[in-house]
Amino acid sequence: MHIVVLSGAEMAGEFKQKFPEGNKEISFSFLHHHNLHGEQLQPTDIIFDFLLHRQPERLSYYAPEQVVFCNAATVQLAALVKEAQLEEPCTLIGINGLPTLLNRPVLEVSLLNPEHEEKLKDVCAALGTEYLLVDDRVGMVTPRMICMIINEACFTLQEETASIADINQGMKLGTNYPKGPFEWANEMGIANVYEVLQAVYEDTKDERYKICPLLKIKYLKGEQF
């Protein structure tokens, strides 16, 4: 099995932590740009494309029988295929591909077509990871939940009810979370948190996901907490 990983340096590093090289039956290639050429891919390659959600037209690069994992934290797979205007897309599988959320014991995944679960099982078995199948919805489960918590923490900070340190510590002690909301926001990337919330709000119109003005300011200024 040969796996091609198309990503930036940060997610390539986290991918290597999640799936360390060493299995003689699996080989890896890492690409760091959007432009793929035919000679770089074989129909039997397994693709992890962390960039696809930003350029859905690139779905046409992949053969219908090819298994392609993409970052589905901000996009519904069905919408991605519709935007690409493909009648016969690849075997498309969504993953929770956000920083700090990929390298976990269980891989969070969604499917475009339920009949593709056997292929998903085969790939995950070869890579030695368990998986949790969630609905094909914007935000999946974990990104939606964590980003909502971060957003609520931003409202608390904006209202000057508590400090960043107090909110972080209170969340870790009160809920036994491994990180406080602002620690998580910084590690995930403010832009990623903003984009997940924006996408989920557009999908649901649920006020819980309406972006806090303070978070928006941090996003626009490129600042951390």
Side-chain angles (χ1 to χ4, degrees):
M1 177 185 292
H2 183 68
I3 294 178
V4 177
V5 181
L6 180 61
S7 71
E10 180 180 19
M11 290 313 300
E14 187 164 344
F15 185 94
K16 291 176 182 178
Q17 292 176 339
K18 170 67 176 172
F19 305 114
E21 298 181 59
N23 186 336
K24 294 181 180 179
E25 297 181 359
I26 303 177
S27 58
F28 296 88
S29 294
F30 290 86
L31 305 177
H32 302 294
H33 51 79
H34 288 274
N35 298 318
L36 293 174
H37 302 286
E39 67 272 12
Q40 292 176 317
L41 297 177
Q42 300 297 322
T44 55
D45 291 342
I46 306 297
I47 313 297
F48 279 80
D49 190 339
F50 289 88
L51 309 174
L52 182 61
H53 64 291
R54 299 192 186 280
Q55 290 187 324
E57 67 276 7
R58 290 174 46 254
L59 272 171
S60 62
Y61 293 163
Y62 302 123
E65 68 275 12
Q66 201 153 35
V67 178
V68 178
F69 291 78
C70 75
N71 180 9
T74 60
V75 67
Q76 191 171 5
L77 298 179
L80 195 66
V81 171
K82 184 174 179 60
E83 188 174 349
Q85 299 181 340
L86 290 178
E87 294 183 3
E88 192 176 4
C90 58
T91 300
L92 190 61
I93 301 171
I95 57 171
N96 180 358
L98 293 175
T100 76
L101 299 182
L102 175 70
N103 184 23
R104 300 188 302 163
V106 179
L107 191 67
E108 187 175 351
V109 299
S110 59
L111 291 173
L112 177 66
N113 295 314
E115 60 265 29
H116 291 158
E117 188 170 0
E118 281 303 315
K119 291 185 178 180
L120 170 64
K121 286 181 180 178
D122 291 343
V123 175
C124 288
L127 289 170
T129 184
E130 296 181 28
Y131 68 87
L132 174 65
L133 188 59
V134 302
D135 290 341
D136 178 25
R137 290 290 306 276
V138 174
M140 305 187 81
V141 173
T142 308
R144 177 186 296 232
M145 179 184 68
I146 292 176
C147 290
M148 182 178 66
I149 290 171
I150 291 169
N151 199 44
E152 289 297 327
C154 288
F155 278 113
T156 301
L157 181 63
Q158 179 177 270
E159 294 164 3
E160 300 183 351
T161 305
S163 68
I164 289 176
D166 288 342
I167 294 170
N168 279 336
Q169 186 71 356
M171 181 64 75
K172 287 187 285 189
L173 293 177
T175 64
N176 202 31
Y177 276 29
K179 300 179 179 68
F182 298 110
E183 294 171 327
W184 225 325
N186 290 339
E187 292 184 20
M188 286 176 61
I190 302 298
N192 288 322
V193 175
Y194 181 91
E195 289 172 5
V196 169
L197 288 168
Q198 184 180 50
V200 175
Y201 181 72
E202 286 300 314
D203 183 59
T204 65
K205 300 303 180 184
D206 189 325
E207 291 295 315
R208 292 179 298 172
Y209 305 106
K210 195 168 185 178
I211 297 171
C212 173
L214 177 61
L215 179 61
K216 184 176 182 179
I217 289 171
K218 292 291 185 182
Y219 163 73
L220 292 173
K221 291 185 175 181
E223 297 177 347
Q224 290 192 325
F225 287 102

